[in-house]
Amino acid sequence: MLLSLGLSACQREAAPTAAAPATPAADTAPAVNPAPITDQPAENVPPATAPVSNPPPAASSTLARFDGYGDMRFGMSVEQTKQAWGGELKGKPSADSTCYYLLPIWVSNAREFGFMVEDGKFARVDVGGDKEVAPGGGKRGMSADEIRRLYPGKVEEQPHKYEQGGKYLRVADPAGGAGVLVFETGADGKVSHWRIGVPPQVDYVEGCF
């Protein structure tokens, strides 16, 4: 009785029904060395959760185009332009001119941002802020050299009409369309304003004024 109690459960189940001499459990059950405890992760075992890499930055996008802005296209009537804009635009022609600007409600000055209309047709976009990006990547604050690198072999330079050392950097539509992009730089060589539209309106130095 005492010897049978010394056997493991597995040994008791495996024992034959015939009487056999009992042996001590210590003689039949080899000792099992427990696995060493370690804080180090096993080699070549991937972590339970793979680290998430940061996604690449989104490509810069722009609404300005060589043929218009967003859904608006150069040559549209005023009503078509307003419908394509989809929001409120303020502005109307004066009694002595057919050239004027349509402005979003948050804009107070066309040199900041505006849509030129002449003879009832949308003809040009003026940009004087940092948020808008021209087709091809040009924007306010860039140097003339940066503009030349962005549009290699396509920049036609003209002296600024009012600012000594300033320039107009004119880029024709590379697809062969009628649109023209003009960057205006100051004496410091930095882009202060840019505009895009169709001739002759895009080349009006003073805009409608």
Side-chain angles (χ1 to χ4, degrees):
M1 182 68 176
L2 292 174
L3 292 174
S4 64
L5 290 175
L7 298 176
S8 67
C10 292
Q11 288 173 317
R12 287 198 299 272
E13 291 175 1
T17 55
T23 57
D27 295 336
T28 59
V32 178
N33 294 326
I37 299 175
T38 175
D39 293 332
Q40 300 300 320
E43 293 183 1
N44 301 323
V45 177
T49 303
V52 179
S53 59
N54 294 325
S60 177
S61 61
T62 178
L63 293 176
R65 305 161 51 104
F66 276 97
D67 62 352
Y69 184 92
D71 292 332
M72 299 180 292
R73 297 292 178 267
F74 298 131
M76 280 184 171
S77 69
V78 172
E79 287 307 314
Q80 289 173 326
T81 301
K82 289 181 176 180
Q83 289 176 6
W85 173 252
E88 184 179 349
L89 291 173
K90 58 186 178 181
K92 59 182 181 180
S94 62
D96 58 350
S97 176
T98 62
C99 183
Y100 66 103
Y101 282 90
L102 293 173
L103 306 180
I105 57 174
W106 63 84
V107 176
S108 59
N109 189 321
R111 288 280 283 174
E112 176 187 350
F113 184 75
F115 307 119
M116 180 189 285
V117 172
E118 187 170 42
D119 296 327
K121 302 292 183 182
F122 172 43
R124 162 175 153 173
V125 183
D126 284 62
V127 177
D130 298 328
K131 293 182 179 180
E132 297 290 329
V133 180
K139 62 184 298 183
R140 185 176 182 271
M142 284 186 170
S143 69
D145 285 340
E146 288 176 300
I147 297 299
R148 294 185 192 102
R149 286 194 294 269
L150 281 176
Y151 309 90
K154 301 184 183 303
V155 178
E156 176 188 350
E157 299 187 23
Q158 301 169 348
H160 200 286
K161 185 175 179 179
Y162 297 109
E163 192 163 352
Q164 186 174 3
K167 295 180 182 295
Y168 301 113
L169 307 177
R170 197 174 188 274
V171 181
D173 184 354
V180 174
L181 172 62
V182 179
F183 296 98
E184 182 178 339
T185 70
D188 61 356
K190 304 286 187 180
V191 175
S192 57
H193 297 81
W194 60 270
R195 57 187 184 267
I196 191 165
V198 292
Q201 291 86 359
V202 74
D203 293 313
Y204 293 172
V205 174
E206 294 87 1
C208 287
F209 309 108

